[in-house]
Structures are given as C-alpha cells and as structure tokens.
Amino acid sequence: MIKRWSIRQLALERYLALALLCLFTTVWVTPLAIVALSSMKTPIEQSQSGILALPENAAMILDNIASASELAGIGNGLLSSLLYAFVGSATAVIAASSAAYSIAMLKIRFPFFWFLIIYSGTIFPFQMYLMPLFGLYQSVDLYDTRFGMLLFYSAIAVPFCIFVFRNYFIGLQGEVIEAASLDGASSFQTYLRVVLPMAKTAALFLFVTQFSWIWNDFLFGQVLAKSDDVRPVMTSLATLSGTYGKGTIPQQMAGALTASIPTLILFFALQKHFMQGLILNTAGE
Amino acid sequence: MPDTNQVSTDPLRNEAPVTALDRAPPEAPTRARALLRTIEPYLYLLPALLLVGGLLLYSVAHTFAISFTDWDLITPPRFVGLKNYIDAVRDPTFTRSFTNTLVWTGGSLLLPVAGGLLLAVVLERIPGQRILKTLIYLPAILSTTVVAAIWSYVYTNNGVLNETLRWVGLEALARPWLVFAPTNTLAMIVASSWRALGPSMVLFLVGLQTIPPELIEAAKIDGAGERILFWRIKLPLLRPITAIVVIMSVIGSFMTFDLVWVMTQGGPGRSSETLAVTMYRQAFIMWRMGYAGAVAVILSTIVIAFSIFYLRATLKRSAL
C-alpha cells in the first residue's frame, strides 16, 4: 500500500519536473525566436510592434541582411571567415597529425619534450599573444592580410589537435608499425596510407571543432585586421552591435543570424561530434 | 608555411616505387642517406613547431619582456623594471577590473556550474531528455559576439527585458541594465551563462551516467530519499568531473573579453572592465604596451596556476 503510493507520488513529481523543465526550456530559447522575428522587421515595425509579434513581411530579412552587409561588411566577412575556418583548421589538422605521428611513432630524441613545447600553446591566455603579433604583423606586412590571418588561425589550432592525435596514435602504435614493416613502406607512405586513414574520425572531429572555433573568433580579427575585406565575420558583426554599435536592431539581428548559420548547420549535421568534442575538450583544453 | 615543408619531403618518397613486392633490396647506406634517415622524423615536426613556436611561444616571451619596459610602439622601449606591475597594483581601475573579474568567476560558478549540475540531476530522470538537452545546449553553438549582440538587444532601454517587465506590470524593475555598476557586470554574467550552461550540463550528465545504477538502487532500498541520494552518493561520485567543470569555468571567467567588449567596451567610465578588457584597452587604445604587458602577465599567472590544477585533475581522470 505504502509502496504503491510512493510510486504514484514519484510519477507525479516527475511530471511536475517535466512541466517545469519545459517551461524553463521555452524561456531559454525565446531569445533565439526573438532574433529570428526581429530580423524580419523594418526598424519602425520593430519599435512599434510587440517583441513576439509576427513580422508583416518575412522577406524583409533579405533587405536587412543586405543593408547590414553594406554597413559592416558582413558579406565579405562571411567569405573571409569561410576561408579561414576551412583552410586554417585543415592546415592545423595536417601539421598536428604529422607532428604527432613523429612524436608517437618515429624515432626521435625527447619525444615528450617536443610534445610539451607544441602543446604548451594551449595554456596561455590570448592576451599574451596580442601585442607581439600586432607588432610582428606590422613589421613583416602581414597586418590586415588574409594570409596573415590564415597563418595565425592555423597556429592557434595546432596545440589542441596535437594533444588529441598524440593520444590517439599512442593507442595505435603497435598495429601500425607491424602493418607497415610487413610491406616495407617508407615512413611517409605509412603516414599517408596507414596512419591518416586510421585517424579519420579524430581528424574529422578536430576539423569540426577547430572550424567552429575559428569561425567564432572575434578578438584576433579585431587585433590583426582592419579592412572589410580581411576582417572575419564576427569582428564585422561586432561593429553593428552593442552599446557602441552602428546598426538598427533588425540589422543587428539579421547579421547575428547570418553569421551563425554555418555553425548551426554543422551542429545539426554532426551533433554527435560536437558533444564528443566537448567531452574530449575536458581532457584537453 | 606548413605546406611547403610538407611538400618538400614528398618527392623523395614519390620517386620510389610503391608496393612492397617490386621494391629493390635495401642498398648499402651512404652517408647522405644515413643523415637523411636521422633527420627525416624531425621534418614531420617542423610545420607544427614553426607555427606554434614562431607565432605563439615567441609572443609569450615577447609580452613577458615588454612588461618590464615603457613602450608606446613609436619610440624604442625603455627598461623600467617592475614599475608597470607596481603601477598596476596601485591603480584603482586595475583593482576594480580585478574585482569585476572575481565577480565574473563567482557568478560563473553559481549560474552555469551549479545551475548545470541541478539541471543535469533533474534532466537525468526525465523522459524526452534528448530534445530538452539539445535545446538547452543550442546557445552554446553561437559565438560570444552573437550572444553579445542578442543580449544587447535584451538589455537596451526599449529592449526585450524592459518591455517584458512593463508588460507584466513590473515597471518599477525596468532600468538601463548596462549603465550602472554592478548591475552591468551582473547582467553580462547572465548573458554569458546563457551560452555556458549547456556544456556544463552535458558534462554533468555524462558524469551521472558513469555512476553504477546498482549503487543508486541499493541506496534506495535502504530508504535513501532524493536529497540524501544527491548529497551522499551522486555529488561525491561526480567529484572528478566537477573539478574539471569548476576549473574550466574559473579559467574562462578570467579570460572574459569578447562579451564585455562588444556589449559595453568595459564602460561606462570603465566600470565593467575585466582584466582582459583592461589589457586590451591599455595596449590598443592607450598604447601603453608595457602596462598592458604587466596586466597580461598577471592574468597568465592566475590562469596557469588554475591550469596546473586542471591538468592534475584530467591526468587523474585519464589514469582511471
């Protein structure tokens, strides 16, 4: 009798918790709905209609994106960020996997020392990089160039990648060396044909996480670039928004939405990798 | 830069025939070959070393050196010893910035960390948790800049929050959220938590899954209620993951920059600056590179101290 009552009570508690959670989640995602709604309004409509009122003409979003782009170079920013995120993370994955291969599988002296040198790049706050990079880039004419941005984004992504690859390769060690020595492959062939294919999952996961990191960067775009052509999208977006922003609310929201689309697509396509990345991150950064 | 090195090792390999069967027996090693043999493994290290060493580690050493000089980027730097550090500690804006950073740390422990733990414990036993989990995680995919743009609109005078307060009849609570200290810092911590809650919740959920169900069952049979279950069993068993989430949150708080810079630029009147914002302002607005270097070094010392705790915690975890 008592037991049955407690089970019923438990079920009731559960439903109550579920109801509360649903309410919480609804409030939680409301800002996202507001972004979408306001990005489809004209500035006058936005200031006069209710916050959650439906827009009169949803196609207004295109106008807002276009004018936001004109005002702050969001369009150029998107293209530049796409380049940085793609090439930067790919370069980092290649450089880190080859270095990790050398550290974990080839005969070098002091492998752990080399690993620590490269991995130590994750431990410092970004504030330690800003002034010297700014000075260096000015003096070698890399300031405000796409190549300079690419170089930096590749470098900043390497340390975490090497951490993951090294762990992964150390786990593989025996198998690979055996397989390779069986058919007498050179070390480069082993890297290309045996090691890389086996590390495909790790490489993909790293590519995705580093892609979204580079895509979301604001600070280094702010310090190392100034023109609309070179600035990454988040740095462009920042000139529209905030207390000192120069855009109207619909322009700001349209810009924010546009800038988020690539990472949102990545997230829904590769949700598993994102969550996995988070968990791996706790062991890395 | 990394690519050229990658390619330079390439032709050596590609000239050689490919399969094992038609490969000639190994020739007698000439000196050049032997040298190549020893050097070759290091070539794989080169791109990563050049990138990290040339851009990142070089910068760290240089910032450290700058912090002992007086430098405005135009006239050559002048060595001043510890002057910048002493100036910083005596400077009331630095002290305020340091206090704000501590408030950020505390707020981030309270909202995303404790909040994430609470959500994880509740969510764990709920049907349909996957959808809720994804929705709560969603803001974490957005960049800090996007979050700052959204919450600037929430907090502006005729923004979402004030309008909502007026709508429900709490007009008295409506105010300019980003203008007065400490309200502006607290408001920005809430905005930041919107982004940080999801990841900490997911990590706690992962931690909860590792608790053996038999343990929970046994405790229930012994008559343990939810509260006892949480304080006596779940929380102690979650300790490794809690350590990681807490340290990550502390490190993150100390590096807070983007959100504050986009929302208030540390103002008004520098009232909402954090250490990272102070460093940026000193370096790139006021061109006091030496002072900015000192702030960066102080910031790094704190962050690295916590990172060492963190590394210990993760090493213990991977040893399990």
Side-chain angles (χ1 to χ4, degrees):
Chain A
M1 193 62 184
I2 294 167
K3 207 171 182 189
R4 181 168 295 170
W5 166 236
S6 71
I7 286 174
R8 204 178 290 163
Q9 193 190 18
L10 209 70
L12 192 73
E13 263 178 21
R14 256 192 194 193
Y15 283 119
L16 203 69
L18 182 63
L20 275 175
L21 267 178
C22 287
L23 187 70
F24 171 80
T25 312
T26 314
V27 175
W28 198 249
V29 294
T30 306
L32 293 174
I34 292 172
V35 173
L37 288 173
S38 344
S39 66
M40 298 173 193
K41 294 176 182 172
T42 64
I44 297 169
E45 189 188 350
Q46 185 271 326
S47 63
Q48 286 171 355
S49 70
I51 288 159
L52 285 172
L54 290 178
E56 281 162 23
N57 177 11
M60 195 58 213
I61 191 174
L62 297 177
D63 286 26
N64 286 329
I65 292 175
S67 61
S69 188
E70 205 168 305
L71 198 61
I74 299 279
N76 277 331
L78 282 173
L79 289 180
S80 303
S81 281
L82 210 58
L83 174 80
Y84 303 150
F86 250 107
V87 181
S89 47
T91 310
V93 164
I94 292 169
S97 66
S98 88
Y101 167 61
S102 166
I103 287 169
M105 296 176 176
L106 298 180
K107 280 207 178 85
I108 58 170
R109 291 174 69 103
F110 316 118
F112 195 66
F113 166 77
W114 296 114
F115 168 71
L116 277 186
I117 290 273
I118 298 173
Y119 180 55
S120 67
T122 57
I123 205 172
F124 298 102
F126 299 140
Q127 281 65 35
M128 290 300 273
Y129 303 144
L130 299 178
M131 292 184 292
L133 280 181
F134 178 77
L136 177 75
Y137 272 36
Q138 294 271 6
S139 62
V140 296
D141 286 336
L142 280 174
Y143 177 73
D144 201 29
T145 63
R146 291 212 172 102
F147 182 69
M149 295 305 294
L150 264 179
L151 214 54
F152 169 75
Y153 284 130
S154 309
I156 196 79
V158 163
F160 179 61
C161 292
I162 203 164
F163 172 81
V164 173
F165 277 126
R166 178 180 166 270
N167 277 355
Y168 197 77
F169 289 167
I170 281 181
L172 291 177
Q173 226 165 23
E175 287 176 61
V176 172
I177 287 173
E178 206 174 306
S181 67
L182 268 180
D183 58 45
S186 73
S187 66
F188 189 69
Q189 284 169 336
T190 315
Y191 169 66
L192 210 62
R193 306 235 173 91
V194 186
V195 176
L196 273 189
M198 283 174 110
K200 214 160 56 185
T201 334
L204 181 66
F205 145 71
L206 284 172
F207 180 80
V208 171
T209 50
Q210 302 312 303
F211 183 98
S212 49
W213 191 91
I214 296 173
W215 184 270
N216 287 341
D217 170 64
F218 158 75
L219 176 58
F220 291 98
Q222 173 92 353
V223 172
L224 300 178
K226 63 167 193 282
S227 65
D228 276 1
D229 288 344
V230 179
R231 260 191 331 212
V233 68
M234 292 307 162
T235 315
S236 308
L237 177 66
T239 63
L240 278 182
S241 323
T243 313
Y244 303 93
K246 56 186 179 185
T248 63
I249 299 269
Q251 284 171 338
Q252 294 176 15
M253 297 302 118
L257 195 67
T258 322
S260 306
I261 285 172
T263 40
L264 283 175
I265 292 175
L266 262 187
F267 175 72
F268 283 108
L270 301 163
Q271 202 175 348
K272 212 179 66 191
H273 285 281
F274 260 89
M275 299 281 181
Q276 205 182 40
L278 178 73
I279 291 153
L280 256 170
N281 246 317
T282 62
E285 259 166 353
Chain B
M1 202 179 189
D3 283 337
T4 44
N5 285 306
Q6 203 63 47
V7 172
S8 70
T9 58
D10 207 336
L12 290 173
R13 318 280 129 239
N14 284 352
E15 281 166 17
V18 185
T19 55
L21 289 177
D22 50 22
R23 175 180 287 270
E27 299 155 36
T30 62
R31 276 181 69 178
R33 258 172 187 277
L35 189 67
L36 191 72
R37 270 263 165 96
T38 19
I39 292 176
E40 199 202 330
Y42 295 93
L43 294 180
Y44 293 95
L45 276 177
L46 212 54
L49 267 180
L50 284 177
L51 281 172
V52 174
L55 292 178
L56 307 185
L57 301 183
Y58 146 76
S59 297
V60 170
H62 195 187
T63 299
F64 195 68
I66 291 173
S67 76
F68 299 106
T69 66
D70 200 358
W71 189 31
D72 59 3
L73 220 62
I74 298 162
T75 49
R78 198 164 47 84
F79 180 78
V80 293
L82 289 173
K83 182 173 172 290
N84 291 318
Y85 292 88
I86 295 165
D87 284 356
V89 176
R90 287 190 181 152
D91 183 354
T93 34
F94 176 85
T95 320
R96 183 163 55 192
S97 160
F98 197 89
T99 318
N100 281 341
T101 310
L102 290 180
V103 173
W104 269 91
T105 313
S108 313
L109 287 179
L110 193 68
L111 292 176
V113 176
L117 176 62
L118 183 75
L119 263 179
V121 171
V122 179
L123 209 59
E124 197 206 0
R125 315 179 312 130
I126 295 289
Q129 57 145 296
R130 257 197 68 167
I131 296 174
L132 292 176
K133 195 169 81 177
T134 308
L135 286 174
I136 295 174
Y137 190 83
L138 212 51
I141 298 140
L142 306 175
S143 78
T144 330
T145 314
V146 168
V147 171
I150 296 174
W151 285 79
S152 297
Y153 174 34
V154 170
Y155 288 138
T156 191
N157 270 341
N158 294 313
V160 178
L161 186 54
N162 283 341
E163 291 292 311
T164 312
L165 286 172
R166 282 176 201 131
W167 187 67
V168 296
L170 291 171
E171 210 164 339
L173 289 178
R175 68 192 69 198
W177 294 95
L178 295 175
V179 174
F180 301 108
T183 315
N184 48 13
T185 294
L186 297 177
M188 286 191 282
I189 292 174
V190 171
S192 158
S193 304
W194 186 59
R195 185 170 187 263
L197 184 81
S200 87
M201 174 196 69
V202 169
L203 287 173
F204 281 123
L205 273 172
V206 171
L208 285 172
Q209 275 162 18
T210 61
I211 297 177
E214 310 88 62
L215 219 59
I216 305 282
E217 286 309 314
K220 273 187 186 162
I221 289 166
D222 287 347
E226 279 302 321
R227 196 169 294 175
I228 293 177
L229 220 53
F230 175 75
W231 289 107
R232 294 281 170 78
I233 298 188
K234 289 180 183 168
L235 198 58
L237 285 173
L238 280 176
R239 208 194 267 145
I241 208 120
T242 312
I244 289 166
V245 178
V246 165
I247 297 165
M248 262 170 54
S249 159
V250 172
I251 296 176
S253 312
F254 268 93
M255 301 209 282
T256 301
F257 175 80
D258 300 17
L259 195 88
V260 178
W261 189 257
V262 177
M263 286 179 83
T264 67
Q265 295 197 355
R270 308 185 62 179
S271 62
S272 61
E273 276 188 17
T274 58
L275 284 178
V277 173
T278 303
M279 184 269 159
Y280 182 86
R281 176 179 294 280
Q282 292 292 344
F284 296 104
I285 310 280
M286 302 162 83
W287 305 107
R288 292 173 67 191
M289 298 307 204
Y291 187 98
V295 176
V297 170
I298 295 172
L299 182 60
S300 304
T301 313
I302 299 167
V303 167
I304 289 172
F306 276 101
S307 302
I308 290 170
F309 282 125
Y310 173 66
L311 284 178
R312 282 212 186 132
T314 46
L315 285 181
K316 259 184 214 154
R317 183 165 167 258
S318 58
L320 283 175

